[in-house]
Amino acid sequence: YNKVLNNIKRLVEAGIKVVLNLSLTPYNEADKEKILKIAEELKLNIRSTPYIYPPVRRQEAVTGENPARFTSAEAARVKTEYDLLRFGKEEFLKRAERLKKGSVLDTDTCCDPSAEGESMKCRAGKSTCWLNYKGKMSVCGMFGNDGYDTISDGFLNCWQRVMAERNAIRTP
């Protein structure tokens, strides 16, 4: 914990934009206020999700059987509680009204309307990647591929491959 926190502080001091991605689970739900406070103290943007898709790299027989995941109903409750903490009651209610009217809060202009399907909406391969303990980089940890070897091929070369791979992925 301290090592990660100190490295985040070093990145901020070096002028590198840091965004915290918080995957809320039954194991860390009680810490959400503390995590928000850390982000606030360090003046960091924070994103969160309480619903974690089962990665394809898991055994298919146990996909969906994960005590570290919330059910969709639990995820909705946790997300609501988190958003209330993060935005405060007034801003939370404003956002809820905009959602009821069907407005989109986050815009994404990455999609090419002439292409078949849309590009991925998440940041995978756009501003983030998955880097495993072996130094292998891939678009996303949920993908089942081995990734590209940053140790032998270099970080920049692998990042370029990840971006190209991501851009080739189309969703229905």
Side-chain angles (χ1 to χ4, degrees):
Y1 170 83
N2 287 329
K3 187 175 184 178
V4 170
L5 189 58
N6 287 332
N7 285 329
I8 290 171
K9 289 176 182 178
R10 286 186 189 111
L11 288 168
V12 171
E13 289 168 6
I16 297 171
K17 183 179 176 183
V18 176
V19 176
L20 294 181
N21 288 317
L22 172 60
S23 298
L24 288 163
T25 71
Y27 300 127
N28 69 3
E29 177 189 4
D31 296 325
K32 63 185 176 265
E33 286 185 65
K34 293 175 191 170
I35 295 168
L36 276 168
K37 186 174 179 170
I38 290 168
E40 188 177 289
E41 288 171 0
L42 296 175
K43 296 179 174 66
L44 298 177
N45 287 328
I46 186 167
R47 295 187 180 141
S48 75
T49 183
Y51 189 76
I52 302 167
Y53 296 99
V56 295
R57 68 180 185 276
R58 286 187 54 136
Q59 297 171 338
E60 282 193 40
V62 295
T63 297
E65 298 175 22
N66 187 343
R69 289 182 57 202
F70 290 113
T71 65
S72 56
E74 292 167 334
R77 176 190 53 80
V78 171
K79 179 68 171 156
T80 301
E81 292 170 356
Y82 173 82
D83 285 350
L84 271 167
L85 284 170
R86 181 174 180 209
F87 300 116
K89 186 175 181 179
E90 185 177 329
E91 179 62 22
F92 175 83
L93 292 174
K94 283 181 191 176
R95 287 169 174 260
E97 282 302 315
R98 289 194 300 250
L99 283 173
K100 276 198 251 180
K101 294 175 184 172
S103 70
V104 177
L105 298 177
D106 297 317
T107 59
D108 190 347
T109 59
C110 70
C111 298
D112 176 7
S114 65
E116 185 178 326
E118 295 181 341
S119 65
M120 294 171 31
K121 295 290 187 185
C122 67
R123 302 223 175 264
K126 188 175 181 181
S127 62
T128 66
C129 65
W130 179 267
L131 192 63
N132 73 16
Y133 71 98
K134 294 179 182 178
K136 303 279 181 133
M137 181 189 296
S138 59
V139 174
C140 175
M142 291 178 50
F143 292 7
N145 62 12
D146 289 333
Y148 306 105
D149 191 349
T150 61
I151 296 167
S152 63
D153 297 339
F155 189 90
L156 182 57
N157 288 332
C158 293
W159 175 245
Q160 290 169 340
R161 289 181 192 146
V162 160
M163 288 190 303
E165 184 180 337
R166 179 228 200 259
N167 290 334
I169 297 169
R170 310 314 286 177
T171 61

